[in-house]
Amino acid sequence: MGFKLLSDDKIVAQCRSNGFVNGNEFMIDVKTFDKNNRNKGLGIAASVALLDYCLEKNLNPLWETTEDNNSSNRLAEKLGFIKNQSYPVYAIEF
């Protein structure tokens, strides 16, 4: 489930479920593909479309990001998400 913005039949931004679902809650991902299109409100537009759909369907989207992903944190806050958890993310570096 998700919404995408097209330009010349090419996806420029999208907001969609990342596949993690629990009841009526699910994680979402937002992506603006071309760096030249970032900071133009495209991610916000795709996200608002998904959030409106969620309101109609009584679904609860969740936003997950790392502490240092400033762009993602700012976008989440602009959309009205409230930080309610903090947890470490572990990775193996090769």
Side-chain angles (χ1 to χ4, degrees), residues 11-36:
I11 301 172
V12 293
Q14 70 181 18
C15 182
R16 64 182 180 90
S17 169
N18 71 4
F20 180 81
V21 179
N22 182 26
N24 74 331
E25 295 184 327
F26 63 98
M27 295 289 185
I28 62 172
D29 287 334
V30 178
K31 180 85 172 164
T32 302
F33 295 95
D34 184 340
K35 290 181 181 183
N36 295 321

Side-chain angles (χ1 to χ4, degrees), residues 1-58:
M1 154 183 47
F3 290 84
K4 60 188 173 186
L5 296 177
L6 301 172
S7 177
D8 297 324
D9 293 325
K10 182 178 176 184
I11 301 172
V12 293
Q14 70 181 18
C15 182
R16 64 182 180 90
S17 169
N18 71 4
F20 180 81
V21 179
N22 182 26
N24 74 331
E25 295 184 327
F26 63 98
M27 295 289 185
I28 62 172
D29 287 334
V30 178
K31 180 85 172 164
T32 302
F33 295 95
D34 184 340
K35 290 181 181 183
N36 295 321
N37 287 329
R38 295 186 181 156
N39 297 311
K40 295 182 178 181
L42 301 174
I44 289 174
S47 299
V48 167
L50 181 61
L51 295 176
D52 286 346
Y53 176 82
C54 290
L55 285 172
E56 291 175 14
K57 302 295 182 185
N58 196 31

